Amino acid sequence: MRIDLSPTSWGRVIVVTVVGTAICIGAAFFVDSFNFPHLSPEALWHAQLTDLFLPLVLAGSFFFFLMFKMRQLAIAQKELSIVAATDSLTAVFNRGAFSMLVEAYLDQARSQAVVNAGAFLIVDADHFKTINDRLGHDCGDQALKLIAKTIQDQLRGADIVGRIGGEEFAVFLPGADPSQSWLVAEGIRRRIREVEFAPGGRPCPLSVSIGGIAFSGPTTYADMFRVADEHLYKAKSNGRDQVSFETTGLRGPAVGDAATVH
């Protein structure tokens, strides 16, 4: 059985406490061993007990307290890093954390550590200003939470979603092929359209427009964002509540082929 020695684990506290205490006991016996030949049997017995129990109590307490505090600090740092990477309203990644994770994947793809393919989506809530103006910002916040939760429900385990603007979300689908990416984008659009949102008993239909790009081959975060944003603008211009999608670097459809669905 493998012991968890991560900074936040109890295994690390116990192992360091035991090993540190054992080293201190060994050091005490080694230093005192030069006096052992000159001691009577009774004095030798007392010296050995002292060499055992004094480090056991003092060093054991010290190492346990030290590692316990270090574990608390590691947990606090971990929680702080999660808070720093999370959008406080919707509980998805914030813009900085999202872009960092996507760029990390693209770096791995360039080194051929992962599949150099996937998709990037920008999801924008339609007529969101109207929701805020008509129902208030609290209802607008509830709508954003609902949209974020609906997006998450449509994703696979490895997919990443972040809030990159006021009512704008981005989704990265690592390793997804164009057909999978299209189904995810359309699934997000349909599910948000179907969701029930009636704050204070007043029905308020929600919808989103989605711009996306599926890639196969080297690309950058900036290039994906630019193309997806262009398609988001197309989806908005064509009436909203639709997906505008492009594939690039793929066999079959020509580079730059785009499709739009209502």
Side-chain angles (χ1 to χ4, degrees):
M1 182 179 66
R2 185 176 180 180
I3 300 176
D4 181 9
L5 296 179
S6 64
T8 59
S9 70
W10 279 106
R12 186 186 182 95
V13 175
I14 294 171
V15 169
V16 173
T17 300
V18 171
V19 172
T21 303
I23 291 174
C24 289
I25 292 173
F29 269 92
F30 174 76
V31 171
D32 211 16
S33 65
F34 296 102
N35 297 320
F36 288 168
H38 309 293
L39 300 178
S40 65
E42 184 178 355
L44 176 62
W45 173 247
H46 284 296
Q48 289 175 334
L49 287 178
T50 301
D51 292 340
L52 173 63
F53 287 106
L54 189 62
L56 185 64
V57 174
L58 296 181
S61 300
F62 169 76
F63 280 111
F64 180 82
F65 179 78
L66 176 65
M67 296 309 300
F68 176 74
K69 289 300 182 181
M70 290 182 67
R71 176 179 177 270
Q72 287 184 317
L73 180 60
I75 292 173
Q77 289 177 328
K78 184 176 181 180
E79 291 175 347
L80 183 61
S81 66
I82 294 173
V83 171
T86 304
D87 176 63
S88 59
L89 176 65
T90 59
V92 300
F93 288 115
N94 58 32
R95 185 176 188 131
F98 175 81
S99 62
M100 181 182 67
L101 290 171
V102 174
E103 288 173 344
Y105 180 90
L106 297 177
D107 286 342
Q108 286 186 304
R110 281 189 283 271
S111 67
Q112 298 182 341
V114 295
V115 178
N116 198 352
F120 186 93
L121 311 174
I122 299 179
V123 182
D124 189 84
D126 295 329
H127 305 294
F128 192 74
K129 186 177 184 302
T130 302
I131 296 176
N132 280 333
D133 292 343
R134 184 164 62 91
L135 301 177
H137 288 277
D138 286 344
C139 290
D141 288 347
Q142 292 302 316
L144 288 177
K145 291 179 182 179
L146 193 56
I147 290 172
K149 178 64 167 57
T150 305
I151 292 174
Q152 288 178 301
D153 289 344
Q154 301 304 305
L155 303 183
R156 307 164 304 168
D159 300 335
I160 305 169
V161 57
R163 185 184 178 196
I164 59 172
E167 65 271 16
E168 200 168 67
F169 298 86
V171 178
F172 184 64
L173 310 172
D177 61 36
S179 60
Q180 290 174 325
S181 306
W182 173 266
L183 289 175
V184 170
E186 179 60 10
I188 290 172
R189 186 195 70 81
R190 288 183 180 275
R191 288 294 299 125
I192 291 175
R193 187 62 178 170
E194 295 168 357
V195 75
E196 293 184 5
F197 180 60
R202 295 171 292 179
C204 180
L206 299 176
S207 69
V208 294
S209 300
I210 302 176
I213 176 173
F215 69 93
S216 177
T219 188
T220 66
Y221 180 90
D223 287 341
M224 289 191 301
F225 190 95
R226 176 181 54 80
V227 175
D229 197 48
E230 290 173 356
H231 279 279
L232 176 63
Y233 179 78
K234 291 180 181 179
K236 292 283 190 182
S237 300
N238 290 336
R240 295 181 170 83
D241 189 22
Q242 58 187 262
V243 176
S244 181
F245 200 82
E246 179 172 318
T247 60
T248 182
L250 302 166
R251 296 178 181 177
V255 174
D257 280 0
T260 303
V261 66
H262 297 266

